[in-house]
Amino acid sequence: MGQKLPECIANVEFKTDDKTIWYSADNGYFCDIINNCFITVDDDTRSRVNELFGVSESEKSDTKKETVMYIYQYDWDFSGVSYKTIRACEEASALIEALNSAKKTGEIAEKIADEVCDSFRDQIYSISLPVETGTKWIEADGKLYRISRDYKQLCIVNSYLGAGEVLELTEELSDMIKDMKSYWPNNVYYGEYDKSNNEITLKHSYSANSSVDIKITEIDVKFKYHYTKNKITLELISDIYQITEVDVWSYKSEDNHLDGARRNVPLRAGTNVEEFSFGSDFVDYFWLSIISGNTRIELKIQM
């Protein structure tokens, strides 16, 4: 028996007096839910067991989809250029179509400087550029676009720092770029918990398919130095039986993490209630990150 339940979709459930066993057709896992352990069978045995149980593998997302877009950003701390790879999807196709359809304003974007490299993917660290941090570029459909830090100028250019033509940047197109850069492909919520009045406000910032949706039902938090016993109660809503990772961590900044928990949780179809612990500090606010399936919540916790 291996320890710690693996992530998987459960197709069959067996019950005895002291055990609940879930079987996964995808990988041949027999998971003992109560005792938190599992065994697995080889592929030939799995095929025979699937046939015996009358179950089949789930449809898996195609991780080998073609890359259709790169989004680059000259990072805020001058550390270099980061980039995000976008695979073929409806959202990418819609953004590419919108970029191709953007009207020319007649203005010319002047050359900024000589080119620094042939590809930001080859030299992404410690590049010093003569542009504002937060400047972005989109490489798609054989074209290169540059977007100013404040999203007030979009231009199609011949190189990263080269001249080009200014395009009309509508609010709709600006939002599409922001969503693709910041949220896609996650189902994202942003919000706040105000301890003074015990209120939670959440905004659904970007909608995407996820095997799990998350609701926060209760928070108990203390602002103490390196305190680790804060509690949060979550409703994890699943359409299927599955064992999935739930990740709950607090942080003051991207490079200053506090404490949290990560564990695989058995979810029945419907609503499941789980409690997690997380850390805090004596600062007047910090952030809590909650991730499961493709759903992500970023919650600002303040006094």
Side-chain angles (χ1 to χ4, degrees):
M1 281 279 186
Q3 294 304 308
K4 296 184 180 179
L5 296 175
E7 286 193 83
C8 63
I9 293 173
N11 304 88
V12 183
E13 180 182 60
F14 308 92
K15 282 190 174 183
T16 64
D17 291 340
D18 60 347
K19 286 184 174 64
T20 297
I21 306 296
W22 286 4
Y23 172 72
S24 173
D26 287 346
N27 36 45
Y29 290 139
F30 287 87
C31 299
D32 184 340
I33 302 304
I34 295 175
N35 297 301
N36 194 41
C37 55
F38 73 98
I39 58 172
T40 186
V41 296
D42 60 38
D43 287 344
D44 288 341
T45 303
R46 178 171 59 86
S47 295
R48 294 198 297 272
V49 171
N50 288 356
E51 185 176 356
L52 177 65
F53 290 160
V55 295
S56 58
E57 294 183 33
S58 60
E59 292 185 13
K60 299 184 176 71
S61 60
D62 184 4
T63 58
K64 297 181 180 179
K65 285 184 178 179
E66 179 187 2
T67 298
V68 296
M69 182 184 302
Y70 293 100
I71 302 179
Y72 306 96
Q73 177 174 282
Y74 186 36
D75 285 333
W76 310 102
D77 57 1
F78 298 95
S79 61
V81 177
S82 62
Y83 71 93
K84 182 175 184 177
T85 302
I86 310 296
R87 306 292 183 184
C89 61
E90 292 181 9
E91 295 86 354
S93 297
L95 178 52
I96 291 172
E97 183 179 352
L99 288 168
N100 286 335
S101 303
K103 296 178 181 178
K104 296 178 181 179
T105 66
E107 298 176 73
I108 298 298
E110 300 295 335
K111 175 182 175 181
I112 298 172
D114 291 329
E115 200 49 64
V116 291
C117 61
D118 293 331
S119 172
F120 279 147
R121 296 190 300 281
D122 298 332
Q123 300 179 10
I124 62 174
Y125 300 111
S126 303
I127 294 178
S128 179
L129 299 177
V131 294
E132 285 188 300
T133 55
T135 300
K136 298 172 182 61
W137 294 263
I138 296 177
E139 185 180 308
D141 200 26
K143 303 180 181 71
L144 182 64
Y145 303 87
R146 187 169 63 230
I147 303 105
S148 64
R149 168 180 175 155
D150 57 8
Y151 283 90
K152 289 186 177 179
Q153 186 187 74
L154 166 69
C155 48
I156 183 167
V157 293
N158 51 28
S159 62
Y160 300 122
L161 305 178
E165 296 178 284
V166 177
L167 305 176
E168 183 179 342
L169 182 55
T170 64
E171 184 176 352
E172 181 182 6
L173 178 53
S174 177
D175 287 343
M176 291 174 71
I177 296 171
K178 291 175 184 176
D179 286 347
M180 190 65 75
K181 171 67 176 68
S182 301
Y183 304 133
W184 183 91
N186 302 122
N187 183 43
V188 181
Y189 296 84
Y190 274 88
E192 291 185 357
Y193 167 68
D194 189 340
K195 182 173 172 57
S196 65
N197 56 23
N198 199 35
E199 285 190 0
I200 301 170
T201 58
L202 276 181
K203 176 186 177 183
H204 200 179
S205 302
Y206 188 75
S207 181
N209 291 332
S210 178
S211 62
V212 182
D213 202 9
I214 304 170
K215 292 183 179 178
I216 302 171
T217 60
E218 188 176 353
I219 298 179
D220 180 18
V221 61
K222 294 177 175 62
F223 285 84
K224 292 183 178 180
Y225 183 65
H226 286 182
Y227 189 72
T228 61
K229 297 180 180 179
N230 300 300
K231 301 291 184 183
I232 185 167
T233 303
L234 303 176
E235 287 186 355
L236 304 167
I237 301 113
S238 175
D239 290 337
I240 56 175
Y241 276 52
Q242 62 177 315
I243 300 170
T244 190
E245 183 176 89
V246 182
D247 193 355
V248 178
W249 288 92
S250 54
Y251 61 95
K252 290 192 286 188
S253 64
E254 288 187 2
D255 58 357
N256 191 352
H257 285 239
L258 299 172
D259 197 11
R262 178 184 293 124
R263 67 176 185 263
N264 284 355
V265 177
L267 301 180
R268 295 179 179 277
T271 299
N272 305 261
V273 178
E274 293 286 332
E275 184 180 90
F276 293 83
S277 299
F278 62 93
S280 62
D281 213 329
F282 53 70
V283 294
D284 58 356
Y285 76 90
F286 58 93
W287 291 86
L288 187 66
S289 174
I290 305 165
I291 301 172
S292 186
N294 195 38
T295 297
R296 171 184 159 199
I297 295 177
E298 297 295 329
L299 188 69
K300 183 179 183 180
I301 298 180
Q302 55 188 15
M303 287 183 176

